[in-house]
Amino acid sequence: SWNVESDVVTFSERASEIFGLPPGPHMTWTEMRGLLHPDDVERVKLAVEQALADRSQYDVDYRIRRSPDGAIVWVAAKGQGVYEPNGQ
């Protein structure tokens, strides 16, 4: 999950296995984008931003360079924003 306000990403146990990182909050979305394959960065950024702007779901596949072994793996990410009662 990603907290837009703090930019902090919290990894579930499964996500941490895929990314090769410990579970929990320890990385920002900005830092996480640094793990994405360069050919996928802009497409992923646009998919998430568009979903937030439209209040819709995103569904995007991308490659990452996994820590610590450096393997290139595919990630399938789906999600949607959760908003406060005031709409933010």
Side-chain angles (χ1 to χ4, degrees):
S1 65
W2 171 45
N3 182 314
V4 175
E5 202 170 280
S6 68
D7 197 35
V8 172
V9 175
T10 301
F11 288 94
S12 67
E13 284 188 38
R14 180 64 182 132
S16 66
E17 289 174 28
I18 293 168
F19 279 79
L21 297 166
H26 62 84
M27 178 180 287
T28 66
W29 167 239
T30 304
E31 293 167 330
M32 193 180 110
R33 283 196 320 241
L35 300 175
L36 274 63
H37 189 282
D39 293 344
D40 299 339
V41 172
E42 190 63 21
R43 183 173 48 80
V44 171
K45 179 179 175 275
L46 290 174
V48 172
E49 288 175 352
Q50 190 65 52
L52 291 174
D54 295 344
R55 294 182 179 242
S56 61
Q57 295 184 351
Y58 64 88
D59 183 352
V60 63
D61 296 336
Y62 55 88
R63 294 162 287 181
I64 62 162
R65 181 169 304 279
R66 184 174 54 203
S67 297
D69 63 8
I72 300 293
V73 296
W74 280 93
V75 174
K78 296 180 181 188
Q80 66 184 43
V82 176
Y83 303 91
E84 298 289 336
N86 66 5
Q88 290 188 302

